[in-house]
Amino acid sequence: MSLAQGATSPSLVHEASLRYPGWRAVCACFLMALFLFGFGLYGQGIYLVELQRLNGWPAALISGASTLSLLLSNILATFTSELVARLGLRRLVFLGLAALAGSMILLAFATSPVRLYFALMLMSLGWVGMGTVVIATIVSLWFETRRGLAISIAFTGASSGGVVVAPLLVLLIGRFGFSPAMLMATATMLLILVPLMLIWVRPQLPGTVSSGGHYQAQSATAATGTQSRRMIMRRLAFWTISIPFALALVAQVGFIVHQIALLEPRIGRPNAGLAVGLMTFMAIVGRLVLGLVIDAFNPRLVTAASLASQACALLIILATDNEPVVLAACAVFGFSVGNLITLPPLIIHREFDKAGFAVVMGLSTAISGTVGALGPGLVGLVRSWSGDYTAALLLCIALEIVAAAIVVQREPAAPVPTGRT
């Protein structure tokens, strides 16, 4: 039975209404992002410390597995559209959930490097089934006039994973030990997500909303059709999305990973820790604030403004050691942190046809995510070469400025036919 035949008669409910069923899908996606980013990203540092303590493994061995997992997830994201077309959204989500749960169970009993690497390679499949491409696709099928707000709320779960899931996992490990804590966390995730995925992520989803913001039923396959990647990569619009977000992620991820080491000599360890917490909090605030207004603005211009604000924040951090000023700059930087995964799908929706959304989103995510993963290593290399973080910060500022300049470049309009032969 399609949603249009449901008892709630969604065709009579405007998408701005809280009774609109799409908001339940947003809630499910929020929780999906919360657990995925909590365990799959923010939890990586926890696994490193605990596995090093339990097994005596070098940090390079463990972090190498984490890097491999994240790189694989970005590469596999390229093929999300084919997986959606073959399996359907809900089945793909369940496979991703099973992969994430399986990887956490394997990590709980990771007594050999082979098992560690296998577990984190399996986690990369969790990113494919539950990651940003799938979340953006699910939300986009439900929304048109309120798409920006809906995607922002769903992706807020990503930042919330670092605020909620990671600290709770640390508490469980301190109370029960690493293996029991991992099993308890996995069971909790499954108990919460499985029922919600069954109820709120349907096999048949709406694909369009009328100009008035009302539901119109459409098969999910209409929004996940295949489109030639070669054709997509020939378009300037694709590269003016992928390149700037890749450069921005190099700068952003590089700064975030090195933030404590960079700030501690300037403002002390307690204030450096406060700066990280403040940045994370502002990332959540920024994503929600942007969601309230983004549908009324050009997302390319908003992206350029966000990148420029981050460059200014880094310049202030470079120029002063004044504690309140540095903390304020970190807050400004954090305000745009979460929006680097919120803005790409909004630009893609405006400039590519709906049938190609999953293809473009997957390909762009693979490029920007893979390049962005180089950020921590690049910043570390520049820091080692120069002896301090001055040159590294200048590099990050330059990358943000170049990215802002590229993202405002629009594809030339197609020439209007004159009717002459």
Side-chain angles (χ1 to χ4, degrees):
M1 181 180 69
S2 70
L3 290 179
Q5 298 169 328
T8 57
S9 300
S11 59
L12 302 178
V13 181
H14 191 282
E15 69 178 49
S17 170
L18 291 178
R19 294 187 296 114
Y20 182 61
W23 293 113
R24 294 194 286 273
V26 170
C27 179
C29 288
F30 173 94
L31 291 171
M32 189 161 66
L34 181 140
F35 283 109
L36 176 65
F37 280 78
F39 294 133
L41 181 62
Y42 298 105
Q44 296 282 355
I46 301 171
Y47 310 147
L48 188 151
V49 171
E50 292 299 321
L51 292 174
Q52 193 174 27
R53 179 181 61 82
L54 292 171
N55 301 314
W57 293 336
L61 184 147
I62 304 170
S63 60
S66 298
T67 300
L68 177 62
S69 175
L70 295 174
L71 286 175
L72 274 178
S73 67
N74 284 308
I75 294 170
L76 293 174
T78 307
F79 307 102
T80 303
S81 59
E82 285 86 352
L83 293 172
V84 172
R86 180 177 292 272
L87 301 174
L89 277 168
R90 187 165 71 171
R91 193 172 298 170
L92 179 58
V93 168
F94 273 113
L95 287 175
L97 180 58
L100 179 60
S103 70
M104 293 177 64
I105 292 171
L106 286 174
L107 280 173
F109 302 102
T111 54
S112 69
V114 172
R115 190 172 294 179
L116 166 67
Y117 272 75
F118 183 76
L120 290 182
M121 289 172 67
L122 185 61
M123 185 175 286
S124 68
L125 299 180
W127 281 100
V128 175
M130 300 169 64
T132 56
V133 180
V134 168
I135 290 173
T137 301
I138 292 173
V139 174
S140 298
L141 288 168
W142 283 98
F143 290 89
E144 186 74 29
T145 63
R146 305 295 288 174
R147 180 179 291 140
L149 176 60
I151 288 179
S152 294
I153 292 174
F155 283 161
T156 300
S159 301
S160 301
V163 177
V164 177
V165 175
L168 288 178
L169 183 58
V170 170
L171 289 175
L172 286 175
I173 292 172
R175 179 78 179 270
F176 301 102
F178 180 68
S179 295
M182 291 292 286
L183 297 178
M184 292 169 64
T186 304
T188 302
M189 176 181 69
L190 293 174
L191 286 173
I192 293 174
L193 287 186
V194 169
L196 293 183
M197 295 304 112
L198 287 171
I199 298 170
W200 289 347
V201 178
R202 307 291 182 90
Q204 181 94 358
L205 292 171
T208 61
V209 181
S210 68
S211 58
H214 291 85
Y215 166 93
Q216 293 177 343
Q218 180 177 335
S219 171
T221 57
T224 57
T226 59
Q227 192 176 102
S228 168
R229 289 188 177 88
R230 182 177 297 178
M231 292 176 60
I232 291 169
M233 294 178 72
R234 285 176 179 173
R235 288 188 55 180
L236 178 63
F238 172 78
W239 293 109
T240 57
I241 297 170
S242 301
I243 292 176
F245 281 101
L247 296 178
L249 282 173
V250 169
Q252 180 171 286
V253 176
F255 172 73
I256 291 172
V257 169
H258 290 267
Q259 187 178 9
I260 292 288
L262 188 156
L263 295 180
E264 184 179 354
R266 295 168 173 264
I267 60 176
R269 177 174 287 271
N271 282 325
L274 176 60
V276 173
L278 183 60
M279 184 186 68
T280 304
F281 173 75
M282 289 302 295
I284 297 174
V285 172
R287 185 176 275 134
L288 292 175
V289 170
L290 179 74
L292 294 172
V293 300
I294 186 59
D295 292 309
F297 292 94
N298 183 328
R300 282 187 179 270
L301 296 180
V302 173
T303 300
S306 297
L307 298 176
S309 72
Q310 287 194 334
C312 290
L314 293 179
L315 185 61
I316 291 171
I317 292 171
L318 179 62
T320 182
D321 294 338
N322 183 276
E323 294 174 5
V325 174
V326 170
L327 290 174
C330 288
V332 171
F333 186 92
F335 191 81
S336 297
V337 162
N339 294 328
L340 288 192
I341 64 170
T342 301
L343 288 162
L346 301 181
I347 300 174
I348 291 169
H349 265 297
R350 293 198 181 194
E351 300 183 14
F352 290 83
D353 62 78
K354 190 166 293 187
F357 173 78
V359 183
V360 181
M361 184 71 187
L363 191 57
S364 181
T365 299
I367 292 172
S368 60
T370 302
V371 175
L374 303 176
L378 180 60
V379 170
L381 284 174
V382 175
R383 193 263 178 222
S384 298
W385 168 75
S386 63
D388 59 29
Y389 278 105
T390 300
L393 278 179
L394 288 173
L395 173 63
C396 291
I397 292 169
L399 291 173
E400 300 266 21
I401 293 172
V402 171
I406 295 174
V407 80
V408 294
Q409 304 302 313
R410 297 294 300 273
E411 191 171 57
V416 178
T418 61
R420 297 178 182 178
T421 57

